[in-house]
Structure formats: C-alpha cells, structure tokens
Amino acid sequence: MTMTKEEILEAYRFRHATKEFDPSKTISDDDFEFILETGRLSPSSFSTEPWRFVVVQNEQLRNKIKNSSYGAASKLPEASHFVIILARTPLDIRYDSAYLKEQQVRDVPTEYLTRRLEILEEFQRHDFKLLDHERFLTDWAIKQTYIPLANMMTAAAQIGIDSCPIEGFDIEKMNQLLDEEGLLEDGHFTISVMIAFGYRKKEPGPKTRRPFDDVVKWVK
C-alpha cells in the first residue's frame, strides 16, 4: 500500500509540537510499537545505530523527569507515552570499541569487517576529526539520534498521533537522574532528546514556515 504525495504532506501539516495532551486518550500498544519500529529502522552513519529508546511509563520516574525538565513539565503526566532517546558514548562508538566490533559482525566475512572498521577509523580520525576531542564523538552520536526522532514523529502524524520533541532540560542533571535509575549503563549512554506522544487537547494555530524559495536553492 502506498500513500499519495498529498497524503504524506497532509501528515506533515498535521504534525505540530503539541504543548498539551488529552490525558483521557491513550495510544494503543499496536500503534506505539509501529512508531518505535520506524525509529528502529532508521538509518545511521556506518550503520552504528548509536541510540536507545527508553519508553517511560512509570509514574514515579515521570514525576522525577517532570520536576527536572522545564520542557517536559507541561507534557507529563498527560502524555500517553514518553520516550527518552539516549545516544551511545565514545565507549561504544569509537572505531575500535567492543560494541562496534560485535555489532558489525552480522554474519559477514572477517576481512570485510576489518576493512569496514578501518574505513570508520579513517572517517573518525581524518575526515570528520571526531577523535580530536571526546565530545566530538558524543555529538556525532547525538546528531544521528535526530533521524529516528523525526521518523517517529512523522510516522505518528501519519496515523493521527501527536508528538512533541523536548530539549528543555539540563543535560548534566538529566544524566545524573538517569544514571541513578540505572539507565546509562556505566557511562555507555548519555541523554540526547525526549519526545512526548499522545493526542492533542486543542487544535493548534496555523503552521508557519519560511517561504519555499528562501529555504531551497538550486545549483544547476
């Protein structure tokens, strides 16, 4: 089954950063598994998949997040589902990490794996200079998590579900909270971004964007 271009654009017009969710409406398990699957299937640089999606339905933890994040304060506890996207740290995404060596195996010949990691080292060391500072590798991983973030929000909109991406939090404080909850696995993860999902409480105002010709430039 395929969607028309107009149907796809309508989903983008429907999607907005929902500020208030209707607490009486809950996303079905089937629909939310579909949303998460679109995130899991998202592409990543060198197929590193440097992310984890933590679905927070526990009321106690939700309250801790609400009190620690000004961006989440108006979304919790009303949101039907709440997701924290974690990014893997250099412990896992440096070219010579045990995670990448294990993750890249997938029934491929040893020589292919060796060459693939050599290319990744070249990319990290010289092309993007990601090894010049530890923060660069972390930022590289965080940047990639925004691909599944966007895909999950779009997929949700296509089936009539609202969402709101959340960056309104102190990274150090949120990492401390998540570490205390045992979710960062001894420094292998760091928080990237959060997303609230549910159903809008009221209709938003008109969507505004910069003009097409200001955003798109052709070089022919």
Side-chain angles (χ1 to χ4, degrees):
M1 180 178 178
T2 59
M3 299 180 68
T4 67
K5 286 179 284 187
E6 183 56 33
E7 287 174 330
I8 294 171
L9 286 175
E10 187 56 36
Y12 278 86
R13 297 185 188 108
F14 170 85
R15 191 218 61 78
H16 75 290
T18 304
K19 299 299 186 289
E20 294 182 82
F21 292 94
D22 185 342
S24 68
K25 297 180 179 180
T26 303
I27 301 169
S28 70
D29 291 343
D30 182 69
D31 282 348
F32 203 69
E33 286 178 10
F34 159 75
I35 292 170
L36 291 171
E37 183 68 353
T38 66
R40 188 184 73 87
L41 294 174
S42 298
S44 60
S45 182
F46 288 88
S47 299
T48 51
E49 299 174 60
W51 47 60
R52 174 166 290 171
F53 312 139
V54 180
V55 185
V56 183
Q57 299 303 85
N58 179 274
E59 184 177 353
Q60 185 177 8
L61 180 53
R62 279 188 169 213
N63 284 330
K64 289 180 181 179
I65 295 170
K66 178 180 179 179
N67 294 331
S68 301
S69 166
Y70 60 88
S74 63
K75 318 300 185 306
L76 292 173
E78 287 78 11
S80 170
H81 288 66
F82 194 81
V83 178
I84 300 174
I85 299 185
L86 303 179
R88 290 187 179 273
T89 68
L91 291 175
D92 287 343
I93 58 170
R94 185 182 156 96
Y95 70 91
D96 54 357
S97 69
Y99 166 76
L100 285 184
K101 290 177 180 178
E102 175 186 345
Q103 187 250 6
Q104 296 285 340
V105 173
R106 298 182 181 175
D107 299 322
V108 298
T110 302
E111 59 273 16
Y112 176 83
L113 173 61
T114 300
R115 180 56 182 153
R116 186 180 183 85
L117 293 177
E118 287 175 350
I119 294 173
L120 179 57
E121 178 185 5
E122 180 72 14
F123 169 79
Q124 291 183 347
R125 188 178 300 281
H126 300 293
D127 296 343
F128 272 40
K129 302 187 185 304
L130 298 176
L131 304 185
D132 287 2
H133 192 286
E134 186 176 274
R135 178 60 189 264
F136 295 166
L137 274 174
T138 300
D139 287 345
W140 177 60
I142 288 175
K143 182 167 62 175
Q144 291 181 70
T145 67
Y146 280 66
I147 301 173
L149 168 72
N151 286 343
M152 286 191 283
M153 290 192 298
T154 300
Q158 289 176 315
I159 58 174
I161 293 173
D162 293 296
S163 63
C164 184
I166 299 168
E167 287 186 322
F169 56 85
D170 182 305
I171 290 179
E172 290 185 2
K173 290 181 179 179
M174 284 300 299
N175 271 338
Q176 181 178 351
L177 170 60
L178 297 175
D179 189 41
E180 291 171 354
E181 296 292 327
L183 295 171
L184 300 186
E185 296 190 4
D186 296 323
H188 284 262
F189 289 96
T190 181
I191 190 170
S192 172
V193 65
M194 305 187 290
I195 330 168
F197 291 95
Y199 295 92
R200 65 189 66 182
K201 192 172 185 179
K202 57 185 178 182
E203 291 300 316
K207 187 183 290 289
T208 59
R209 290 292 187 273
R210 298 188 68 84
F212 186 89
D213 290 340
D214 187 41
V215 175
V216 179
K217 294 298 180 184
W218 291 82
V219 180
K220 297 183 178 180

